[in-house]
mmCIF file with all atom_site columns, all heavy atoms in Angstrom:
data_model
loop_
_atom_site.group_PDB
_atom_site.id
_atom_site.type_symbol
_atom_site.label_atom_id
_atom_site.label_alt_id
_atom_site.label_comp_id
_atom_site.label_asym_id
_atom_site.label_entity_id
_atom_site.label_seq_id
_atom_site.pdbx_PDB_ins_code
_atom_site.Cartn_x
_atom_site.Cartn_y
_atom_site.Cartn_z
_atom_site.occupancy
_atom_site.B_iso_or_equiv
_atom_site.pdbx_formal_charge
_atom_site.auth_seq_id
_atom_site.auth_comp_id
_atom_site.auth_asym_id
_atom_site.auth_atom_id
_atom_site.pdbx_PDB_model_num
ATOM 1   N N   . LEU G 1 28  ? 3.726   7.208   45.369  1.00 0.00 ? 28  LEU G N   1
ATOM 2   C CA  . LEU G 1 28  ? 4.088   5.868   44.912  1.00 0.00 ? 28  LEU G CA  1
ATOM 3   C C   . LEU G 1 28  ? 2.847   5.031   44.606  1.00 0.00 ? 28  LEU G C   1
ATOM 4   O O   . LEU G 1 28  ? 2.809   4.289   43.624  1.00 0.00 ? 28  LEU G O   1
ATOM 5   C CB  . LEU G 1 28  ? 4.932   5.161   45.986  1.00 0.00 ? 28  LEU G CB  1
ATOM 6   C CG  . LEU G 1 28  ? 6.361   5.694   46.167  1.00 0.00 ? 28  LEU G CG  1
ATOM 7   C CD1 . LEU G 1 28  ? 7.041   4.999   47.338  1.00 0.00 ? 28  LEU G CD1 1
ATOM 8   C CD2 . LEU G 1 28  ? 7.170   5.485   44.894  1.00 0.00 ? 28  LEU G CD2 1
ATOM 9   N N   . VAL G 1 36  ? -0.110  -0.179  36.736  1.00 0.00 ? 36  VAL G N   1
ATOM 10  C CA  . VAL G 1 36  ? -1.012  -1.335  36.594  1.00 0.00 ? 36  VAL G CA  1
ATOM 11  C C   . VAL G 1 36  ? -2.001  -1.110  35.463  1.00 0.00 ? 36  VAL G C   1
ATOM 12  O O   . VAL G 1 36  ? -2.281  -2.003  34.664  1.00 0.00 ? 36  VAL G O   1
ATOM 13  C CB  . VAL G 1 36  ? -1.753  -1.599  37.928  1.00 0.00 ? 36  VAL G CB  1
ATOM 14  C CG1 . VAL G 1 36  ? -2.875  -2.610  37.721  1.00 0.00 ? 36  VAL G CG1 1
ATOM 15  C CG2 . VAL G 1 36  ? -0.780  -2.092  38.989  1.00 0.00 ? 36  VAL G CG2 1
ATOM 16  N N   . VAL G 1 43  ? -1.914  -5.344  27.864  1.00 0.00 ? 43  VAL G N   1
ATOM 17  C CA  . VAL G 1 43  ? -2.317  -6.754  27.741  1.00 0.00 ? 43  VAL G CA  1
ATOM 18  C C   . VAL G 1 43  ? -3.599  -6.882  26.922  1.00 0.00 ? 43  VAL G C   1
ATOM 19  O O   . VAL G 1 43  ? -3.711  -7.715  26.030  1.00 0.00 ? 43  VAL G O   1
ATOM 20  C CB  . VAL G 1 43  ? -2.497  -7.382  29.141  1.00 0.00 ? 43  VAL G CB  1
ATOM 21  C CG1 . VAL G 1 43  ? -3.140  -8.763  29.029  1.00 0.00 ? 43  VAL G CG1 1
ATOM 22  C CG2 . VAL G 1 43  ? -1.165  -7.468  29.860  1.00 0.00 ? 43  VAL G CG2 1
ATOM 23  N N   . VAL G 1 72  ? -5.778  -32.485 -12.386 1.00 0.00 ? 72  VAL G N   1
ATOM 24  C CA  . VAL G 1 72  ? -5.134  -33.557 -13.140 1.00 0.00 ? 72  VAL G CA  1
ATOM 25  C C   . VAL G 1 72  ? -6.085  -33.952 -14.256 1.00 0.00 ? 72  VAL G C   1
ATOM 26  O O   . VAL G 1 72  ? -7.299  -34.033 -14.046 1.00 0.00 ? 72  VAL G O   1
ATOM 27  C CB  . VAL G 1 72  ? -4.826  -34.774 -12.239 1.00 0.00 ? 72  VAL G CB  1
ATOM 28  C CG1 . VAL G 1 72  ? -4.217  -35.912 -13.058 1.00 0.00 ? 72  VAL G CG1 1
ATOM 29  C CG2 . VAL G 1 72  ? -3.902  -34.373 -11.099 1.00 0.00 ? 72  VAL G CG2 1
ATOM 30  N N   . PHE G 1 74  ? -6.621  -36.498 -18.004 1.00 0.00 ? 74  PHE G N   1
ATOM 31  C CA  . PHE G 1 74  ? -6.127  -37.564 -18.879 1.00 0.00 ? 74  PHE G CA  1
ATOM 32  C C   . PHE G 1 74  ? -7.251  -37.992 -19.822 1.00 0.00 ? 74  PHE G C   1
ATOM 33  O O   . PHE G 1 74  ? -8.436  -37.882 -19.488 1.00 0.00 ? 74  PHE G O   1
ATOM 34  C CB  . PHE G 1 74  ? -5.615  -38.762 -18.067 1.00 0.00 ? 74  PHE G CB  1
ATOM 35  C CG  . PHE G 1 74  ? -6.625  -39.372 -17.143 1.00 0.00 ? 74  PHE G CG  1
ATOM 36  C CD1 . PHE G 1 74  ? -7.467  -40.399 -17.569 1.00 0.00 ? 74  PHE G CD1 1
ATOM 37  C CD2 . PHE G 1 74  ? -6.753  -38.904 -15.840 1.00 0.00 ? 74  PHE G CD2 1
ATOM 38  C CE1 . PHE G 1 74  ? -8.408  -40.958 -16.711 1.00 0.00 ? 74  PHE G CE1 1
ATOM 39  C CE2 . PHE G 1 74  ? -7.690  -39.462 -14.982 1.00 0.00 ? 74  PHE G CE2 1
ATOM 40  C CZ  . PHE G 1 74  ? -8.512  -40.489 -15.414 1.00 0.00 ? 74  PHE G CZ  1
ATOM 41  N N   . GLY G 1 82  ? -14.599 -43.091 -35.186 1.00 0.00 ? 82  GLY G N   1
ATOM 42  C CA  . GLY G 1 82  ? -14.381 -41.752 -35.720 1.00 0.00 ? 82  GLY G CA  1
ATOM 43  C C   . GLY G 1 82  ? -15.661 -41.223 -36.309 1.00 0.00 ? 82  GLY G C   1
ATOM 44  O O   . GLY G 1 82  ? -16.550 -41.979 -36.716 1.00 0.00 ? 82  GLY G O   1
ATOM 45  N N   . SER G 1 85  ? -13.832 -37.709 -41.666 1.00 0.00 ? 85  SER G N   1
ATOM 46  C CA  . SER G 1 85  ? -12.456 -37.441 -42.060 1.00 0.00 ? 85  SER G CA  1
ATOM 47  C C   . SER G 1 85  ? -12.338 -35.997 -42.498 1.00 0.00 ? 85  SER G C   1
ATOM 48  O O   . SER G 1 85  ? -13.304 -35.353 -42.865 1.00 0.00 ? 85  SER G O   1
ATOM 49  C CB  . SER G 1 85  ? -12.018 -38.378 -43.197 1.00 0.00 ? 85  SER G CB  1
ATOM 50  O OG  . SER G 1 85  ? -12.825 -38.133 -44.335 1.00 0.00 ? 85  SER G OG  1
ATOM 51  N N   . GLY G 1 89  ? -5.313  -38.695 -44.478 1.00 0.00 ? 89  GLY G N   1
ATOM 52  C CA  . GLY G 1 89  ? -4.623  -39.098 -43.267 1.00 0.00 ? 89  GLY G CA  1
ATOM 53  C C   . GLY G 1 89  ? -5.096  -38.395 -42.010 1.00 0.00 ? 89  GLY G C   1
ATOM 54  O O   . GLY G 1 89  ? -4.425  -38.449 -40.973 1.00 0.00 ? 89  GLY G O   1
ATOM 55  N N   . ILE G 1 91  ? -8.419  -37.741 -39.272 1.00 0.00 ? 91  ILE G N   1
ATOM 56  C CA  . ILE G 1 91  ? -9.737  -38.165 -38.821 1.00 0.00 ? 91  ILE G CA  1
ATOM 57  C C   . ILE G 1 91  ? -10.250 -37.195 -37.760 1.00 0.00 ? 91  ILE G C   1
ATOM 58  O O   . ILE G 1 91  ? -9.478  -36.495 -37.103 1.00 0.00 ? 91  ILE G O   1
ATOM 59  C CB  . ILE G 1 91  ? -9.711  -39.598 -38.242 1.00 0.00 ? 91  ILE G CB  1
ATOM 60  C CG1 . ILE G 1 91  ? -8.794  -39.650 -37.011 1.00 0.00 ? 91  ILE G CG1 1
ATOM 61  C CG2 . ILE G 1 91  ? -9.284  -40.602 -39.296 1.00 0.00 ? 91  ILE G CG2 1
ATOM 62  C CD1 . ILE G 1 91  ? -8.878  -40.959 -36.252 1.00 0.00 ? 91  ILE G CD1 1
ATOM 63  N N   . GLY G 1 103 ? -7.388  -29.682 -5.896  1.00 0.00 ? 103 GLY G N   1
ATOM 64  C CA  . GLY G 1 103 ? -7.248  -28.520 -5.027  1.00 0.00 ? 103 GLY G CA  1
ATOM 65  C C   . GLY G 1 103 ? -8.148  -28.598 -3.806  1.00 0.00 ? 103 GLY G C   1
ATOM 66  O O   . GLY G 1 103 ? -8.934  -29.527 -3.650  1.00 0.00 ? 103 GLY G O   1
ATOM 67  N N   . GLY G 1 118 ? -0.220  -32.389 -35.288 1.00 0.00 ? 118 GLY G N   1
ATOM 68  C CA  . GLY G 1 118 ? -0.799  -33.724 -35.361 1.00 0.00 ? 118 GLY G CA  1
ATOM 69  C C   . GLY G 1 118 ? -2.109  -33.899 -34.624 1.00 0.00 ? 118 GLY G C   1
ATOM 70  O O   . GLY G 1 118 ? -2.855  -34.828 -34.930 1.00 0.00 ? 118 GLY G O   1
ATOM 71  N N   . GLN G 1 126 ? -19.613 -27.436 -22.701 1.00 0.00 ? 126 GLN G N   1
ATOM 72  C CA  . GLN G 1 126 ? -20.261 -27.744 -21.425 1.00 0.00 ? 126 GLN G CA  1
ATOM 73  C C   . GLN G 1 126 ? -19.261 -27.573 -20.279 1.00 0.00 ? 126 GLN G C   1
ATOM 74  O O   . GLN G 1 126 ? -18.094 -27.928 -20.414 1.00 0.00 ? 126 GLN G O   1
ATOM 75  C CB  . GLN G 1 126 ? -20.803 -29.184 -21.421 1.00 0.00 ? 126 GLN G CB  1
ATOM 76  C CG  . GLN G 1 126 ? -21.892 -29.412 -22.458 1.00 0.00 ? 126 GLN G CG  1
ATOM 77  C CD  . GLN G 1 126 ? -22.379 -30.848 -22.459 1.00 0.00 ? 126 GLN G CD  1
ATOM 78  O OE1 . GLN G 1 126 ? -21.704 -31.746 -21.955 1.00 0.00 ? 126 GLN G OE1 1
ATOM 79  N NE2 . GLN G 1 126 ? -23.554 -31.077 -23.022 1.00 0.00 ? 126 GLN G NE2 1
ATOM 80  N N   . ILE G 1 138 ? -15.291 -34.265 -19.458 1.00 0.00 ? 138 ILE G N   1
ATOM 81  C CA  . ILE G 1 138 ? -15.562 -33.183 -20.399 1.00 0.00 ? 138 ILE G CA  1
ATOM 82  C C   . ILE G 1 138 ? -15.584 -33.759 -21.809 1.00 0.00 ? 138 ILE G C   1
ATOM 83  O O   . ILE G 1 138 ? -14.616 -34.417 -22.251 1.00 0.00 ? 138 ILE G O   1
ATOM 84  C CB  . ILE G 1 138 ? -14.490 -32.086 -20.295 1.00 0.00 ? 138 ILE G CB  1
ATOM 85  C CG1 . ILE G 1 138 ? -14.513 -31.470 -18.882 1.00 0.00 ? 138 ILE G CG1 1
ATOM 86  C CG2 . ILE G 1 138 ? -14.692 -31.014 -21.340 1.00 0.00 ? 138 ILE G CG2 1
ATOM 87  C CD1 . ILE G 1 138 ? -13.437 -30.426 -18.662 1.00 0.00 ? 138 ILE G CD1 1
ATOM 88  N N   . SER G 1 147 ? -0.423  -39.767 -38.875 1.00 0.00 ? 147 SER G N   1
ATOM 89  C CA  . SER G 1 147 ? 1.013   -40.036 -38.968 1.00 0.00 ? 147 SER G CA  1
ATOM 90  C C   . SER G 1 147 ? 1.822   -39.354 -37.869 1.00 0.00 ? 147 SER G C   1
ATOM 91  O O   . SER G 1 147 ? 2.927   -39.809 -37.554 1.00 0.00 ? 147 SER G O   1
ATOM 92  C CB  . SER G 1 147 ? 1.542   -39.578 -40.338 1.00 0.00 ? 147 SER G CB  1
ATOM 93  O OG  . SER G 1 147 ? 1.306   -38.173 -40.505 1.00 0.00 ? 147 SER G OG  1
ATOM 94  N N   . SER G 1 160 ? -10.160 -23.318 -18.843 1.00 0.00 ? 160 SER G N   1
ATOM 95  C CA  . SER G 1 160 ? -10.729 -22.110 -18.249 1.00 0.00 ? 160 SER G CA  1
ATOM 96  C C   . SER G 1 160 ? -11.459 -22.538 -16.983 1.00 0.00 ? 160 SER G C   1
ATOM 97  O O   . SER G 1 160 ? -12.419 -23.302 -17.044 1.00 0.00 ? 160 SER G O   1
ATOM 98  C CB  . SER G 1 160 ? -11.684 -21.423 -19.223 1.00 0.00 ? 160 SER G CB  1
ATOM 99  O OG  . SER G 1 160 ? -12.287 -20.309 -18.618 1.00 0.00 ? 160 SER G OG  1
ATOM 100 N N   . VAL G 1 168 ? -12.104 -16.133 -12.853 1.00 0.00 ? 168 VAL G N   1
ATOM 101 C CA  . VAL G 1 168 ? -11.822 -17.082 -13.923 1.00 0.00 ? 168 VAL G CA  1
ATOM 102 C C   . VAL G 1 168 ? -10.322 -17.086 -14.197 1.00 0.00 ? 168 VAL G C   1
ATOM 103 O O   . VAL G 1 168 ? -9.720  -16.033 -14.412 1.00 0.00 ? 168 VAL G O   1
ATOM 104 C CB  . VAL G 1 168 ? -12.601 -16.727 -15.204 1.00 0.00 ? 168 VAL G CB  1
ATOM 105 C CG1 . VAL G 1 168 ? -12.239 -17.695 -16.331 1.00 0.00 ? 168 VAL G CG1 1
ATOM 106 C CG2 . VAL G 1 168 ? -14.106 -16.760 -14.939 1.00 0.00 ? 168 VAL G CG2 1
ATOM 107 N N   . TYR G 1 173 ? -2.377  -28.116 -18.298 1.00 0.00 ? 173 TYR G N   1
ATOM 108 C CA  . TYR G 1 173 ? -1.945  -29.406 -17.769 1.00 0.00 ? 173 TYR G CA  1
ATOM 109 C C   . TYR G 1 173 ? -1.491  -30.281 -18.946 1.00 0.00 ? 173 TYR G C   1
ATOM 110 O O   . TYR G 1 173 ? -2.184  -30.382 -19.960 1.00 0.00 ? 173 TYR G O   1
ATOM 111 C CB  . TYR G 1 173 ? -3.080  -30.101 -17.013 1.00 0.00 ? 173 TYR G CB  1
ATOM 112 C CG  . TYR G 1 173 ? -2.619  -31.344 -16.292 1.00 0.00 ? 173 TYR G CG  1
ATOM 113 C CD1 . TYR G 1 173 ? -2.040  -31.257 -15.029 1.00 0.00 ? 173 TYR G CD1 1
ATOM 114 C CD2 . TYR G 1 173 ? -2.722  -32.593 -16.895 1.00 0.00 ? 173 TYR G CD2 1
ATOM 115 C CE1 . TYR G 1 173 ? -1.590  -32.390 -14.369 1.00 0.00 ? 173 TYR G CE1 1
ATOM 116 C CE2 . TYR G 1 173 ? -2.270  -33.738 -16.236 1.00 0.00 ? 173 TYR G CE2 1
ATOM 117 C CZ  . TYR G 1 173 ? -1.707  -33.621 -14.984 1.00 0.00 ? 173 TYR G CZ  1
ATOM 118 O OH  . TYR G 1 173 ? -1.256  -34.736 -14.341 1.00 0.00 ? 173 TYR G OH  1
ATOM 119 N N   . SER G 1 180 ? -2.973  -43.736 -25.002 1.00 0.00 ? 180 SER G N   1
ATOM 120 C CA  . SER G 1 180 ? -4.184  -43.386 -24.250 1.00 0.00 ? 180 SER G CA  1
ATOM 121 C C   . SER G 1 180 ? -5.428  -43.949 -24.931 1.00 0.00 ? 180 SER G C   1
ATOM 122 O O   . SER G 1 180 ? -5.370  -44.573 -25.990 1.00 0.00 ? 180 SER G O   1
ATOM 123 C CB  . SER G 1 180 ? -4.303  -41.857 -24.149 1.00 0.00 ? 180 SER G CB  1
ATOM 124 O OG  . SER G 1 180 ? -4.575  -41.302 -25.424 1.00 0.00 ? 180 SER G OG  1
ATOM 125 N N   . LEU G 1 193 ? -7.703  -45.623 -43.133 1.00 0.00 ? 193 LEU G N   1
ATOM 126 C CA  . LEU G 1 193 ? -7.275  -44.567 -44.033 1.00 0.00 ? 193 LEU G CA  1
ATOM 127 C C   . LEU G 1 193 ? -5.945  -44.913 -44.706 1.00 0.00 ? 193 LEU G C   1
ATOM 128 O O   . LEU G 1 193 ? -5.731  -44.625 -45.873 1.00 0.00 ? 193 LEU G O   1
ATOM 129 C CB  . LEU G 1 193 ? -7.137  -43.221 -43.286 1.00 0.00 ? 193 LEU G CB  1
ATOM 130 C CG  . LEU G 1 193 ? -8.433  -42.551 -42.860 1.00 0.00 ? 193 LEU G CG  1
ATOM 131 C CD1 . LEU G 1 193 ? -8.119  -41.249 -42.102 1.00 0.00 ? 193 LEU G CD1 1
ATOM 132 C CD2 . LEU G 1 193 ? -9.322  -42.239 -44.061 1.00 0.00 ? 193 LEU G CD2 1
#
Side-chain angles (χ1 to χ4, degrees):
L28 289 175
V36 169
V43 170
V72 177
F74 58 90
S85 63
I91 62 171
Q126 297 178 341
I138 298 177
S147 60
S160 176
V168 177
Y173 188 84
S180 68
L193 288 179

